[in-house]
Amino acid sequence: MNPTSAGILTLLVGLLVALTTLWFIARSRQQEPAAQANQGLYKARTLYFVILSLCLLAGLTATLGKVPYGQADAANSQVVVNVNASMYNWEMVKVGAENAGELVIPAQKDVEFRVTGLDVNHGFGVYDADGHLLTQTQAMPGYTNRLVYNFAQPGVYHVLCLEYCGMMHPKMNTTFRVE
Ligand SMILES: [Cu+2]
């Protein structure tokens, strides 16, 4: 699904939620003649739901353009890294790399990680040298997740497994360099 259709889908779901809320309000009005005694309370509740719906819609509209996934342009990625996760190892190979030694990735370029699992589900988490999680995706058997990331700073980055996969899960890590 491309970012535009994902955005439209999100908007439609948001509208559906808002309309459903309004429908429930209208319906509860019809079915509660006893509400006359609590008119003020019901009015306040209705107002609350209307304001809440409007706030949610406004928030949704304002943030639609900032949907995190789909912004990165996989088609324009200049560097592709194949990532195979298995118990308890990360195999990371840059497509077209001459030597299969240490993985070196260029800084300030879109890098596309093609992440899959060879045995069970793993979590591919990329951390900077200070231990901050930068980006992540699942490594699933039989499926390739594409994750595009642009490393602004050169340095050593760490890959840790984010999904418990067995006894040695905490030891499932590797590093790569960005230049
Ligand atoms: Cu794991």
Side-chain angles (χ1 to χ4, degrees), residues 99-168:
N99 59 341
E102 190 199 9
L103 175 64
V104 179
I105 287 173
Q108 289 162 24
K109 280 196 174 149
D110 284 350
V111 180
E112 181 186 338
F113 295 97
R114 294 182 185 162
V115 184
T116 191
L118 301 181
D119 39 34
V120 298
N121 272 9
H122 300 273
F124 176 71
V126 179
Y127 292 77
D128 66 13
D130 297 325
H132 297 126
L133 179 63
L134 301 175
T135 187
Q136 62 89 27
T137 191
Q138 254 197 326
M140 303 143 72
Y143 188 83
T144 300
N145 272 315
R146 288 162 184 240
L147 179 70
V148 179
Y149 193 79
N150 193 311
F151 294 91
Q153 299 293 331
V156 176
Y157 291 79
H158 300 268
V159 175
L160 303 182
C161 184
L162 289 178
E163 193 164 328
Y164 182 74
C165 55
M167 289 290 283
M168 299 300 285

Side-chain angles (χ1 to χ4, degrees), residues 4-159:
T4 315
S5 49
I8 290 169
L9 185 71
T10 312
L11 188 63
L12 286 178
V13 169
L15 275 173
L16 193 69
V17 169
L19 288 175
T20 310
T21 308
L22 290 172
W23 181 76
F24 271 113
I25 291 167
R27 198 164 160 265
S28 71
R29 266 190 178 167
Q30 288 163 9
Q31 291 182 347
E32 292 175 28
Q36 283 157 356
N38 286 317
Q39 206 111 70
L41 187 70
Y42 281 96
K43 264 189 187 157
R45 187 185 67 179
T46 304
L47 190 67
Y48 166 73
F49 274 112
V50 169
I51 290 172
L52 182 69
S53 302
L54 288 177
C55 287
L56 287 175
L57 262 182
L60 188 72
T61 311
T63 54
L64 259 186
K66 294 172 186 164
V67 175
Y69 299 105
Q71 262 192 346
D73 189 353
N76 287 334
S77 299
Q78 291 145 314
V79 183
V80 175
V81 177
N82 286 323
V83 180
N84 293 324
S86 59
M87 290 188 275
Y88 300 94
N89 179 54
W90 294 105
E91 184 192 77
M92 296 176 66
V93 179
K94 189 161 80 176
V95 173
E98 284 147 34
N99 59 341
E102 190 199 9
L103 175 64
V104 179
I105 287 173
Q108 289 162 24
K109 280 196 174 149
D110 284 350
V111 180
E112 181 186 338
F113 295 97
R114 294 182 185 162
V115 184
T116 191
L118 301 181
D119 39 34
V120 298
N121 272 9
H122 300 273
F124 176 71
V126 179
Y127 292 77
D128 66 13
D130 297 325
H132 297 126
L133 179 63
L134 301 175
T135 187
Q136 62 89 27
T137 191
Q138 254 197 326
M140 303 143 72
Y143 188 83
T144 300
N145 272 315
R146 288 162 184 240
L147 179 70
V148 179
Y149 193 79
N150 193 311
F151 294 91
Q153 299 293 331
V156 176
Y157 291 79
H158 300 268
V159 175

